[in-house]
Structure formats: C-alpha cells, structure tokens
Amino acid sequence: ICKQNNIENLTAGTEAHNSQGVVERVIRTLTTSMRAMMYTAKCSNQMWSHALLHAAYVYNRVPHESLEDNKCPLDKMTGEIPEYGRLRVFGCAAFQSIPTQEWLTKDDEGETSKALSNRMKLTTYVGNDNNGTYKMYSRKDINENPETAEKNKLKVKFDENVTRFGNNIDRIINNPDPEHSDKYVPRQIQEIKHVKNMRMNQIKDISIVRQ
C-alpha cells in the first residue's frame, strides 16, 4: 500500500511517533464505535467483526473537519459521493422477503400450502458491503459464530427502533447501564442522529433536483 501511494518507510523519530499516534487514535475511535453499536444492539460479543466493519464503513462516510471542505475520507480518496440512503442502525430488526419457491408450510395433516406460508423472515442488519448491498445475519441463536453474513438482494424492511431480539433501542439509549452511560452510548447517539440527518438531507437534495 505504501509503495502504491509513493509513501516512504518511516524511520524512528518524531515523525514516526506522530504517525503512530494518529493511527492509534483512529483505531480507538473505531473500537469505541464498535462497542457502542454492540451495546445498543444488545448482540453477542461474537458479532464484533461485523460491528467493527460497519464502524469503519460509517467513519469513511462521515464528514471530517480536518479535511478540506469537511469532506469525508471516501470523497477525499476516491471522489465518490457517499450514499446515505442505505445506511441503517447496526443490529436493528430487518424483515427480509422469502423467495416464492420457498413459500411452503405444512399443516396438521402434512399438506403444504403457499397461501398460509410466511412471506418474510426476521433477520439482523449488520452493515453494507462496498457496493451498498445490505448484509444480514439470519441465524436465530445469538451465541452462534457469525462467520459470514448473508448479502441481501431481495426486498427488505427495517425497524430501526428495535433490535432483532425485541429490545427497544431508544430505551437503551435513554436509560443506559451505569458503566456505559458516559462511554459508548453518547457515541452511538451521535452517530445514529448524524447518519439519519445525512440521509434526510440527501433525500431533500434529491427531491429539489427532481423538481
């Protein structure tokens, strides 16, 4: 990566120390966001990898005061304008459509019926890939190891006020546990509000252009 970007190897000294400090600060920011997301989602600790990836995804799309014109890292690096419309609250409940060929249920007599079958299944939103495709975690047992997440290409509806396990996110944020009240929760509140505001502003900008 250094070679591709014409970055020379840093030697020991003030420059290297300062660079290390910047990297460590970013890592701390990401891990704090990861912990906040996991806390509000009330998910298993085994979901940390999804939370960390989502924290990095959001971090790269949030405007930074240190960058020119308050650009986000993604825009600064690639010139790509981030799409906020597909961002959701990590760990929120997501109802994913079931393909038609799977619309089968069995009644008491063992006969199958499409008319009474479920049309959607309850999953968990755990982020987006680089193309913006939703990533879902659909296993029922929160203690199972989520090595991979299902990439959703079907219709899906979200309830961003409720986790998949029935916990109310607003209640968790407004009444945090004492040990989390001054650490992770304020960070998550800030990020949830910021992302939602960015989504709404982007929707308004699109509507103005269309008019």
Side-chain angles (χ1 to χ4, degrees):
I1 293 176
C2 290
K3 185 176 181 180
Q4 292 174 356
N5 292 277
N6 298 321
I7 300 175
E8 297 180 357
N9 293 332
L10 298 175
T11 58
T14 303
E15 185 179 1
H17 180 75
N18 292 339
S19 298
Q20 181 180 355
V22 172
V23 173
E24 291 179 349
R25 180 173 293 276
V26 173
I27 293 176
R28 184 177 65 180
T29 298
L30 294 179
T31 53
T32 301
S33 298
M34 174 194 72
R35 291 174 181 272
M37 292 175 181
M38 294 178 63
Y39 173 76
T40 53
K42 291 297 182 182
C43 62
S44 167
N45 288 339
Q46 294 174 338
M47 298 286 284
W48 73 268
S49 59
H50 293 311
L52 182 59
L53 286 175
H54 189 60
Y57 185 91
V58 174
Y59 180 86
N60 288 330
R61 286 159 177 77
V62 171
H64 286 49
E65 294 181 357
S66 59
L67 297 180
E68 181 183 0
D69 297 329
N70 288 337
K71 290 185 176 181
C72 67
L74 178 67
D75 187 7
K76 181 68 176 180
M77 188 69 181
T78 66
E80 178 184 348
I81 303 299
E83 172 58 54
Y84 298 103
R86 297 183 67 81
L87 277 175
R88 298 291 184 268
V89 177
F90 179 83
C92 71
F95 299 88
Q96 182 177 344
S97 61
I98 299 175
T100 306
Q101 59 270 24
E102 298 180 14
W103 289 3
L104 294 177
T105 57
K106 291 186 178 181
D107 56 20
D108 295 338
E109 298 179 358
E111 297 181 357
T112 59
S113 172
K114 288 187 176 180
L116 302 178
S117 63
N118 294 327
R119 298 293 191 267
M120 307 191 84
K121 63 180 179 180
L122 180 59
T123 60
T124 305
Y125 169 80
V126 292
N128 303 66
D129 64 11
N130 291 331
N131 296 323
T133 303
Y134 297 129
K135 292 191 295 184
M136 305 295 173
Y137 179 60
S138 57
R139 297 188 182 184
K140 296 181 179 179
D141 187 354
I142 63 174
N143 294 319
E144 291 185 11
N145 185 21
E147 296 179 355
T148 59
E150 178 181 357
K151 291 186 177 181
N152 176 64
K153 295 183 179 180
L154 302 173
K155 182 178 180 181
V156 60
K157 293 184 178 181
F158 298 94
D159 187 344
E160 295 185 80
N161 291 320
V162 179
T163 70
R164 184 189 64 168
F165 314 110
N167 298 301
N168 186 288
I169 292 179
D170 289 335
R171 186 180 301 116
I172 295 171
I173 289 176
N174 294 329
N175 299 283
D177 295 335
E179 63 270 22
H180 295 96
S181 60
D182 59 348
K183 294 182 180 180
Y184 310 131
V185 177
R187 179 87 187 185
Q188 180 68 333
I189 295 174
Q190 178 183 357
E191 291 191 355
I192 290 175
K193 289 183 177 180
H194 182 80
V195 170
K196 285 187 176 182
N197 289 337
M198 295 297 291
R199 275 168 37 194
M200 293 303 299
N201 291 336
Q202 195 168 56
I203 291 173
K204 291 179 182 178
D205 292 341
I206 294 174
S207 63
I208 292 174
V209 171
R210 287 178 178 175
Q211 291 176 359

